């Protein structure tokens, strides 16, 4: 512990255009997962803080909604330039507190920038419809208006990108926004907020607080908060959806995942293996789009597993800040232990480890696990059913594509899935019949771009309108129909 060292910064709130000191609030350590060292402390917001930020945001919204949309875009254009300029610093901060490799962090920042770019199209995106003479002498048009104060609650695994699925669209549409990011990774959103301040977003339009359930609950029950966007685990997503909906708020709650990668015997093996590795072990498996169950169809298993084990064994594991590292640590010691617990459970339940990540000998102070591949996994095993959120891939062998579809559709989750094949017919049948929100065809991480919607089905999503794309414009606006007659 190096908590007493002066280099440890305190991360606090950005409310109404001001950076606040932590005062006597609860402080929690932020650790670098690669070294185990404490790198910052984060202040936790109280219910009073939430009330203060909601009031400030609401006051800002009352002015911001009247700013013409083309003027609302200007700080976002400046922000995009600042993000480009500081992308490497942002990525380095992200790696320091989250553990993902620097390349992955840079790619995440790039995805975040794309959200801002798309939100800059708001003058077009917010347009309504119109039709003259819907009745004799009567014209009709629709308008989209902002909702008011919107809140975002985000997870630890994408601290730069996921908040940007939300607030650029929300504020471009004329709302004010309160972000409550994961308390495990508060530094990246703080740095992003400093850049936004530099871009000249008016005070109170964007606000940042930190904390845990106390802050979240206060947001869910606050009468001035009109809409809640959540991304995180399924149990919390369900809770957020129920609680905020019961308060009459608009909610989108994106939850956890258990993604299947189906490999047909006619798949192009080397390319398929490359994609599977990046899907299952990229970001140490801490992605909601990570492949977690590998479904080998027919004769696919033997050539697939041989090449997969060979390539995965050669992966370099280490501090993600080093350029040639293939996989970094898990986010916290507790999470590493949880994932190691799943590996033990897999062995206990009779799966055969082709690689066991617990044997990885790395830096003792960091939260490292090597990649794990289990063969002979049965659909009823814990490792086949539950979200592990770590570098663990379970292989299930099935006879036909029909069996694969039935297996995938039996999962309570429905976030993403991929099929690897050379057959257009197999790909078409799979994408048509599989019960998941995002499907990859020879693509291991089926992440929709900023201009498309992002969300799963079943226990991976609670709500109606998905994240980003046109859905975000609808989510952050209320529609009104105007009928006009002039006498
Ligand atoms: P988490 O659910 O633990 O936390 C998410 C947010 O909720 C954080 O801001 C946290 O402070 C808050 N929170 C946690 N417990 C709470 C409670 N009891 N009451 C109120 N608020 C609470 O998730 P995480 O561990 O940060 O992130 C990993 C999870 O997020 C995984 O399940 C992953 O699949 C999911 N995820 C989903 C998507 C998607 O698009 N569906 C994207 C990224 C991550």
């Amino acid at each position: 512990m190096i908590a007493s060292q002066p280099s440890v910064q305190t991360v606090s709130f950005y409310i109404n255009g001001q950076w606040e000191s932590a005062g006597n609030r609860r402080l929690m350590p932020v650790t670098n997962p690669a070294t185990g060292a404490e790198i910052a402390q984060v202040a936790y917001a109280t219910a009073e803080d939430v009330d203060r930020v909601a009031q400030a945001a609401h006051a800002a919204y009352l002015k911001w909604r009247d700013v013409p949309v083309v003027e609302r875009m200007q700080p976002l254009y400046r922000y995009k330039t600042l993000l480009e300029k500081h992308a490497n610093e942002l990525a380095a901060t992200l790696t320091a507190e989250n553990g993902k490799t620097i390349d992955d962090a840079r790619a995440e920042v790039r995805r975040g920038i794309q959200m801002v770019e798309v939100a800059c199209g708001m003058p077009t995106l917010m347009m309504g419809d119109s039709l003259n003479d819907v009745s004799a002498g009567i014209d009709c048009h629709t308008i989209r208006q902002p909702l008011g104060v919107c809140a975002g609650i985000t997870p630890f695994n994408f601290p730069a990108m996921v908040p940007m699925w939300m607030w650029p669209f929300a504020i471009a549409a004329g709302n004010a926004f309160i972000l409550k990011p994961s308390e495990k990774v508060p530094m990246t959103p703080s740095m992003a907020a400093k850049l936004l301040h530099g871009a000249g977003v008016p005070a109170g339009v964007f606000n940042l607080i930190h904390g845990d359930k106390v802050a979240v609950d206060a947001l869910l029950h606050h009468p001035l908060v009109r809409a809640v966007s959540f991304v995180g685990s399924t149990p919390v997503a369900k809770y957020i959806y129920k609680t905020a909906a019961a308060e009459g708020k608009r909610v989108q709650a994106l939850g956890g995942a258990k993604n299947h990668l189906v490999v047909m015997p006619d798949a192009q093996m080397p390319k398929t293996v490359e994609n599977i590795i990046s899907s299952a072990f990229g970001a140490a498996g801490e992605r909601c789009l990570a492949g977690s169950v590998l479904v080998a169809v027919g004769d696919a298993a033997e050539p697939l597993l041989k090449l997969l084990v060979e390539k995965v064994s050669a992966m370099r594991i280490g501090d993600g800040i080093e350029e040639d590292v293939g996989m970094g640590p898990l986010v916290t010691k507790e999470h590493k232990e949880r994932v190691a617990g799943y590996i033990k459970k897999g062995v206990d339940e009779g799966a055969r480890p082709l690689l066991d990540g617990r044997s990885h000998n790395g830096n003792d102070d960091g939260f490292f696990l090597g990649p794990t591949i289990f063969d002979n996994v049965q659909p009823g095993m814990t490792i086949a059913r539950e979200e592990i959120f770590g570098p663990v891939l379970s292989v299930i062998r099935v006879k036909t594509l029909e069996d694969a579809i039935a297996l995938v559709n039996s999962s309570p989750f429905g976030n993403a899935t991929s099929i690897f094949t050379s057959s257009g017919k197999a790909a078409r049948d799979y994408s048509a019949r599989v019960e998941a929100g995002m499907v990859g065809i020879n693509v291991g991480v089926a992440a929709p771009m900023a201009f498309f919607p992002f969300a799963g089905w079943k226990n991976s999503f609670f709500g109606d309108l998905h994240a980003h794309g046109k859905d975000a414009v609808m989510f952050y606006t209320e529609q009104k129909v105007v009928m006009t007659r002039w006498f």
Side-chain angles (χ1 to χ4, degrees), residues 264 306 328 374 404:
M264 299 297 286
K306 187 165 174 293
F374 276 116

Side-chain angles (χ1 to χ4, degrees), residues 44-249:
Y44 276 22
T46 62
E48 291 72 39
D49 290 324
V50 169
D51 181 48
R52 205 159 45 82
V53 70
Q55 302 284 354
H58 188 253
Y61 153 71
L62 293 177
K63 296 188 201 140
W64 184 240
R65 67 179 177 184
D66 291 335
V67 174
V69 63
V70 285
E71 286 175 37
R72 291 202 301 259
M73 293 310 92
Q74 300 312 313
L76 286 181
Y77 286 123
R78 293 193 290 271
Y79 186 53
K80 139 106 177 142
T81 308
L82 286 172
L83 281 172
E84 297 282 3
K85 192 169 159 204
H86 297 278
N88 282 335
E89 288 158 66
L90 206 52
T93 302
L94 206 166
T95 293
E97 65 179 354
N98 167 283
K100 69 175 66 174
T101 65
I102 190 71
D103 269 355
D104 231 4
R106 288 185 190 124
E108 177 181 340
V109 171
R110 172 61 42 205
R111 286 268 183 169
I113 292 172
Q114 287 163 354
M115 302 296 153
V116 177
E117 289 168 353
V118 173
C120 284
M122 198 53 74
T124 312
L125 292 169
M126 248 181 116
M127 278 181 184
D129 296 319
S130 78
L131 188 64
N132 279 10
D133 294 315
V134 292
S135 186
I138 297 185
D139 303 332
C140 185
H141 72 278
T142 62
I143 55 173
R144 292 202 161 270
Q145 294 184 309
L147 303 170
V149 178
C150 304
I153 300 150
T154 54
F156 79 80
N157 65 330
F158 282 98
M161 178 187 75
V162 169
M164 290 190 215
W165 285 0
M166 303 171 181
W167 68 258
F169 294 95
I171 72 170
N175 302 282
F177 201 85
I178 304 168
L179 174 65
K180 202 303 288 172
S182 166
E183 61 276 33
K184 294 181 187 128
V185 289
M187 295 163 72
T188 308
S190 289
M191 189 187 269
K194 280 185 185 135
L195 298 179
L196 189 57
H197 181 84
V201 167
V205 169
F206 173 86
N207 306 274
L208 173 68
I209 57 168
H210 300 284
D212 58 4
K213 185 170 164 51
V214 173
V216 172
D217 281 346
L219 286 168
L220 299 181
H221 294 289
H222 201 288
L224 288 176
V225 173
R226 291 284 320 282
V228 177
S229 300
F230 172 86
V231 178
S233 60
T234 289
V236 184
K238 253 185 199 168
Y239 167 75
I240 301 274
Y241 184 69
K242 278 198 291 196
T243 312
E247 291 280 7
K249 301 185 196 310

